């Protein structure tokens, strides 16, 4: 068990609906990442938080996607007006504070989104 | 933009065979390099990483990787694979001292026949 949890594990929605995913990182990890992974591909970076600040956002991320980490702990990823092309596994990873000697990402189990 | 290439999409080996998985990246600056593994039904987990120093890096479960700067490569090796090594392997890159963004390759599925 890596300690990063994601909810829900599976989500089926109809095109045009909004969905929200949650990620709970390992306690005290101040760095948090969201990725998207489609079949046959590796994880594709979406966005990065350090504490509550969103410091990096992929240019591939359309304005239908938004992520938050309001208190620097859990994070949410919302997709508005879902499209079939949004069907993918959404992964969350966390990393300990810089300087603690471990620049290792710990991944959660992912949320599998299916848009009908 | 940075990119990571893993040319072997699917590798099938018999137990005790040697393994080498290729990884090439495109980025002109200094990088951190990683190999991750995903066993069936499990999360992605770190296998090994290179930040600086000795270009031959040893990881868990007998895996090692060699960074060859002139070739922009970070190939993963294991002298003798086991059935339990059946998994998908991903190479990843980030800019040195910058952990804001990671780039992953498309992965290599390794199937080890008992």
């Amino acid at each position: 068990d890596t300690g990063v949890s994601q909810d829900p594990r599976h989500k089926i929605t109809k095109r045009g609906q909004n969905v929200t995913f949650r990620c709970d990182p390992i306690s005290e990890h101040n760095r948090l990442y969201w990725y998207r992974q489609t079949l046959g591909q590796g994880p594709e970076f979406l966005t990065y938080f350090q504490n509550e600040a969103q410091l990096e956002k992929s240019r591939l991320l359309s304005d239908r996607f938004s992520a938050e980490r309001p208190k620097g702990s859990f994070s949410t990823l919302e997709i508005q007006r879902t499209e079939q092309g949004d069907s993918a596994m959404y992964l969350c990873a966390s990393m300990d504070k810089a300087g603690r000697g471990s620049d290792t990402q710990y991944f959660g189990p992912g949320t599998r989104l299916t848009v009908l | 933009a940075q990119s990571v290439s893993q040319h072997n999409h699917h590798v099938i080996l018999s137990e005790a065979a040697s393994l080498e998985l290729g990884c090439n990246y495109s980025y002109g600056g200094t990088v951190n390099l990683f190999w991750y593994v995903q066993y069936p039904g499990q999360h992605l987990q770190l296998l090994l990483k290179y930040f600086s120093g000795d270009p031959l890096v040893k990881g868990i479960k007998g895996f090692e990787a060699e960074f060859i700067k002139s070739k922009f490569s970070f190939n993963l090796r294991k002298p003798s694979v086991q059935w339990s090594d059946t998994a998908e392997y991903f190479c990843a890159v980030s800019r040195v001292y910058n952990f804001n963004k990671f780039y992953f390759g498309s992965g290599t599925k390794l199937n080890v026949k008992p």
Side-chain angles (χ1 to χ4, degrees), chain A residues 6 34 77 89 106:
Chain A
Q6 292 186 245
W34 283 100
L77 177 69
M89 178 75 85
Y106 293 86

Side-chain angles (χ1 to χ4, degrees), chain B residues 5-43:
Chain B
S5 298
Q6 292 182 245
H7 303 293
N8 311 106
H9 297 295
H10 197 180
V11 173
I12 302 173
L13 295 173
S14 297
E15 275 194 315
S18 64
L19 170 73
E20 180 159 2
L21 301 182
C23 172
N24 289 89
Y25 64 93
S26 65
Y27 180 64
T30 310
V31 295
N32 302 311
L33 296 154
F34 308 82
W35 275 98
Y36 284 84
V37 60
Q38 188 166 25
Y39 297 103
Q42 295 189 23
H43 310 168

Side-chain angles (χ1 to χ4, degrees), chain A residues 8 11 14 23 26 31 41-42 56-57 59 67 71 84 86 100 105 110 115:
Chain A
K11 178 71 178 178
K14 291 183 180 179
C23 170
I26 293 172
R31 295 182 278 182
Q41 298 299 316
E56 196 79 49
K57 189 174 174 181
R59 286 184 294 236
K71 297 181 180 179
Q84 287 184 324
D86 297 331
R100 286 203 177 172
Q105 291 185 95
V115 181

Side-chain angles (χ1 to χ4, degrees), chain A residues 25 29 33 38 45 59 65 70-71 78-79 87 94 105 108:
Chain A
H29 278 195
Y33 305 80
T38 54
F45 171 82
R59 286 184 294 236
F65 287 70
K71 297 181 180 179
E78 182 184 15
I79 308 174
S87 295
S94 72
Q105 291 185 95

Side-chain angles (χ1 to χ4, degrees), chain B residues 41-57:
Chain B
Q42 295 189 23
H43 310 168
L44 272 166
Q45 58 184 283
L46 183 71
L47 201 54
L48 50 77
K49 61 187 177 184
Y50 172 81
F51 288 173
S52 64
D54 189 343
L56 186 61
V57 179

